Amino acid sequence: MIKKLGSYISIALAMSAGLTACNDDSNSSIAAEDTGYTSETMYSSTAITSFNLKANNKVLANLDSIFFTIDLENGKIFNADSLPYGTDISKLIPNIGTSGSSKIELLIRNSSVMKDTTITYSSSMRDSIDFAAGGVIARVTSLNEQYTQQYSIKVNVHKVKSDSLVWDRLAWQQIPGNPENQRTLLHGDKVYTFITGTDGSCHIAAMDNPFEAIELTSTATLPAGLDIRSIVSNDDAFFALDHNGAMYTSTDGKSWSTTGETWSHIYGAYESQILGVKKSGDEYYFATYPDDGSAAKVPADCPVSGTSDLLLMEGSKWADGPQAIFVGGKIANGNLTGATWSYDGSIWAKISETPIDRAKEGMSLFPYFTYRKANKSWRMTKEFTLFATGGKLADGNVSNYVYVSRNMGITWERADNLLQFPSYIHSFYNADIVIWESELGSRSAAPVWNEMASPEIPAWLMPLGENSRAVTPVTTWECPYIYLYGGDSASGTLYPQVWRGVINRLTFKPLI
């Protein structure tokens, strides 16, 4: 996370407070004795103007680059962006700067590795300090030894692994009834879940957000053989294929009518168009609905079934206009692929240079974030990242490995262990994922994954020193959660759960 937080109060305020406290007869006489120095100058010499920790690669690489906030008014020094989970802070050496004090003392209390003691600080000191107990005080004495100021020093360490993708230990909720199949997707500003039961019935839940309980409030009259797993939507309607490839449409999900089209597979929506594949004889052709007359032949290595959902990206540094992408699937000869394909409004192209290393069908593709640390500092950069998970292998086994791409699917790599699923979530394919941004604060949530950019940063107030910045406190912030619906086992049995996941760091209060 980017370290933007500075001290809340200016040195000027601290000096002003000191002047008020010292504005009596006795203090005036002290100021008179310090020829050339005012009482304000004397008091300001108790201000700590910089604080950091000395480098120690045995503790943590780039330890000396950790940013510390200095709150002069409240007498607090702390790192707002905590150190990584498990960092040993029991033997650290501080670097402390002032504007010209006569003495800095460090008071250590309640330590389990050293006795209660007071150490006189110097820039050349080699004695390490135990910050683990949180009982370290810096006491600064002014140039004329008439004033002192104390600061509590807190070295914060994360209590959880900040970059872990964590999932609720118990399922967020169960898909109700006795579901045999399900399909969940965003349509407009609602989350729609279609559920078919063992009796052939189909029920619909339309929820304002995914943390509401799934309530099957409507019944759908589906055409015979309609495959609810094929349902996609644009802004106006739903579209789906039956088992013979006939395409149907519905404005409400309840009543369906034929379009007169026969396709072999639907990729998804590109703005108002629906994209997919038609078969003519032994050949496959790209199709659009409504038909725009651009039916090009599908390349031999392009999937014609089993693809992930189609994601529409409104703009990125890799494309000037809207770009739709999917990953994985089955090509015409029956082989599987782990490649990414993209559509820019006119042509399809395979964009993967490094595809997913295990070719699969039925993968789940979704947009999210990861964080990257600068090489020589602890500055964290939030990066837009594609995630792909789940899928069925050629041998019939299923997988829940997580893969990530930070360049829109051009290169994929298996995510590190912190981003993989826990053992209590089974391997799966054909799961649906909704990203829903919730505000951790007073306002309600909103379904805006495509707007999950960095929040607007309040303007910095006047910088007041090397480690000091005044900022507007943060009271609410937005956090995107991952909701995973269903998924099938290798035998095709539906897992009727909804899981919720989030990267820990996204739940932390921002530093702005």
Side-chain angles (χ1 to χ4, degrees):
M1 187 172 289
I2 299 174
K3 305 176 182 64
K4 302 185 178 87
L5 185 61
S7 67
Y8 306 104
I9 302 298
S10 70
I11 291 176
L13 286 175
M15 292 168 55
S16 175
L19 176 60
T20 302
C22 303
N23 194 21
D24 58 24
D25 291 341
S26 60
N27 286 333
S28 297
S29 64
I30 291 173
E33 294 172 4
D34 296 315
T35 305
Y37 297 98
T38 64
S39 57
E40 295 97 319
T41 301
M42 290 298 99
Y43 189 79
S44 69
S45 69
T46 66
I48 290 180
T49 56
S50 65
F51 182 94
N52 72 318
L53 299 172
K54 288 188 177 181
N56 187 340
N57 287 335
K58 293 181 179 179
V59 174
L60 195 66
N62 304 311
L63 181 64
D64 56 334
S65 70
I66 302 297
F67 182 85
F68 279 82
T69 294
I70 302 171
D71 181 349
L72 293 173
E73 182 181 47
N74 295 304
K76 294 180 180 180
I77 298 172
F78 59 96
N79 56 315
D81 196 4
S82 300
L83 302 184
Y85 174 84
T87 302
D88 182 4
I89 59 171
S90 63
K91 295 180 180 180
L92 304 177
I93 301 175
N95 287 318
I96 304 174
T98 69
S99 59
S101 62
S102 64
K103 182 172 57 176
I104 303 173
E105 297 168 294
L106 296 172
L107 291 68
I108 295 90
R109 302 290 184 267
N110 305 318
S111 169
S112 61
V113 299
M114 57 191 304
K115 296 179 179 179
D116 286 2
T117 186
T118 299
I119 298 173
T120 299
Y121 169 81
S122 72
S123 59
S124 61
M125 69 177 285
R126 296 184 178 181
D127 294 332
S128 61
I129 305 297
D130 177 21
F131 289 93
V136 178
I137 300 293
R139 183 168 60 201
V140 183
T141 302
S142 64
L143 280 169
N144 64 359
E145 301 184 354
Q146 298 300 314
Y147 306 103
T148 62
Q149 175 79 344
Q150 292 196 157
Y151 303 82
S152 64
I153 304 173
K154 176 75 171 176
V155 179
N156 292 309
V157 178
H158 282 303
K159 296 181 179 181
V160 295
K161 294 181 179 179
S162 56
D163 294 316
S164 292
L165 176 54
V166 295
W167 298 85
D168 293 334
R169 185 63 178 81
L170 298 176
W172 180 250
Q173 60 176 307
Q174 296 288 317
I175 297 173
N178 185 22
E180 185 175 56
N181 211 346
Q182 74 85 37
R183 173 64 167 151
T184 299
L185 70 165
L186 283 174
H187 179 65
D189 59 355
K190 292 183 180 293
V191 180
Y192 281 79
T193 296
F194 294 82
I195 298 172
T196 55
T198 55
D199 59 358
S201 62
C202 180
H203 298 276
I204 305 172
M207 296 156 288
D208 290 328
N209 53 64
F211 45 85
E212 289 182 358
I214 298 175
E215 295 185 4
L216 305 179
T217 55
S218 302
T219 300
T221 303
L222 300 182
L226 192 78
D227 178 12
I228 69 166
R229 290 297 311 158
S230 71
I231 296 175
V232 301
S233 76
N234 58 17
D235 290 340
D236 300 319
F238 298 98
F239 298 84
L241 303 179
D242 69 15
H243 296 309
N244 295 316
M247 180 190 288
Y248 292 82
T249 187
S250 172
T251 56
D252 58 8
K254 304 174 188 178
S255 300
W256 294 76
S257 60
T258 183
T259 64
E261 293 283 328
T262 300
W263 290 10
S264 58
H265 180 63
I266 293 181
Y267 292 134
Y270 182 89
E271 298 182 325
S272 62
Q273 288 184 316
I274 302 302
L275 308 179
V277 177
K278 286 182 177 181
K279 189 175 183 181
S280 178
D282 294 330
E283 301 292 344
Y284 289 90
Y285 294 87
F286 292 119
T288 60
Y289 181 82
D291 189 355
D292 64 2
S294 59
K297 185 177 177 180
V298 176
D301 57 347
C302 179
V304 295
S305 66
T307 59
S308 73
D309 280 339
L310 189 71
L311 292 183
L312 180 62
M313 320 304 292
E314 294 296 339
S316 72
K317 62 183 179 181
W318 293 279
D320 293 332
Q323 184 179 18
I325 63 173
F326 66 74
V327 66
K330 182 178 290 187
I331 63 179
N333 67 5
N335 292 334
L336 301 180
T337 179
T340 306
W341 283 76
S342 173
Y343 180 75
D344 65 358
S346 59
I347 60 172
W348 286 94
K350 183 170 69 172
I351 62 174
S352 288
E353 295 177 359
T354 305
I356 291 174
D357 62 10
R358 303 182 79 191
K360 292 177 284 187
E361 60 180 327
M363 283 191 280
S364 301
L365 176 68
F366 61 96
Y368 207 54
F369 297 107
T370 54
Y371 287 84
R372 187 182 296 276
K373 184 179 76 67
N375 290 333
K376 296 183 179 180
S377 74
W378 281 94
R379 182 182 178 89
M380 303 298 293
T381 301
K382 187 179 181 182
E383 293 188 313
F384 177 83
T385 303
L386 291 179
F387 282 66
T389 187
K392 190 173 186 178
L393 301 160
D395 62 6
N397 289 319
V398 292
S399 166
N400 64 0
Y401 280 125
V402 177
Y403 293 83
V404 294
S405 174
R406 296 177 176 85
N407 53 14
M408 292 288 286
I410 297 173
T411 60
W412 289 94
E413 61 183 4
R414 190 173 296 186
D416 62 38
N417 288 336
L418 294 178
L419 299 177
Q420 298 296 333
F421 280 98
S423 59
Y424 50 83
I425 296 182
H426 298 289
S427 296
F428 58 85
Y429 75 108
N430 283 347
D432 299 321
I433 289 180
V434 171
I435 307 298
W436 197 278
E437 194 169 72
S438 299
E439 183 168 83
L440 303 186
S442 59
R443 291 180 295 176
S444 60
V448 287
W449 73 259
N450 57 332
E451 297 175 9
M452 290 192 301
S454 299
E456 183 177 351
I457 301 171
W460 293 112
L461 300 180
M462 181 67 69
L464 301 169
E466 180 183 349
N467 287 62
S468 302
R469 298 187 188 102
V471 297
T472 303
V474 171
T475 56
T476 61
W477 66 99
E478 293 176 338
C479 176
Y481 284 91
I482 307 164
Y483 293 84
L484 187 151
Y485 290 79
D488 295 337
S489 68
S491 64
T493 301
L494 175 69
Y495 295 119
Q497 289 92 25
V498 181
W499 297 95
R500 187 179 77 158
V502 67
I503 289 179
N504 273 328
R505 189 182 293 273
L506 292 166
T507 68
F508 299 160
K509 185 176 180 179
L511 302 185
I512 55 174

